[in-house]
Amino acid sequence: MKEFEYTIADPIGIHARPAGLLVKLLAAIKSDVKVAKGEKIVNAKSILGLMGLQAKQGEAIKFIIEGADEEEAIKKVEDFLKENL
């Protein structure tokens, strides 16, 4: 299991466009990917789950990745976040 935190830089926070793109990216990943904000943990492969976090600019979210391709998944997710959120 691998974990990393990311602080949202997008002024709008997590909204529909980047959430949809992230879900599409994660569809090709075999590992289980969860996102936590505070006490709330959601499936990162669910657009409704991501939107439900209501993560705003400046808030930290934690990704928890577990599975066969977790190293590749971390790289892809980190790159995506830097470009889109």
Side-chain angles (χ1 to χ4, degrees), residues 50-70:
L50 289 172
M51 299 289 293
L53 287 175
Q54 298 179 351
K56 307 280 187 248
Q57 182 181 30
E59 294 181 329
I61 55 176
K62 178 168 57 171
F63 282 81
I64 304 155
I65 303 172
E66 185 172 11
D69 58 352
E70 58 191 31

Side-chain angles (χ1 to χ4, degrees), residues 21-31 33 45 69 72-73 76:
L21 292 172
L22 180 58
V23 168
K24 187 175 180 178
L25 172 82
L26 294 175
I29 292 176
K30 295 175 185 159
S31 295
V33 184
K45 296 181 180 183
D69 58 352
E72 175 188 350
K76 285 183 177 183

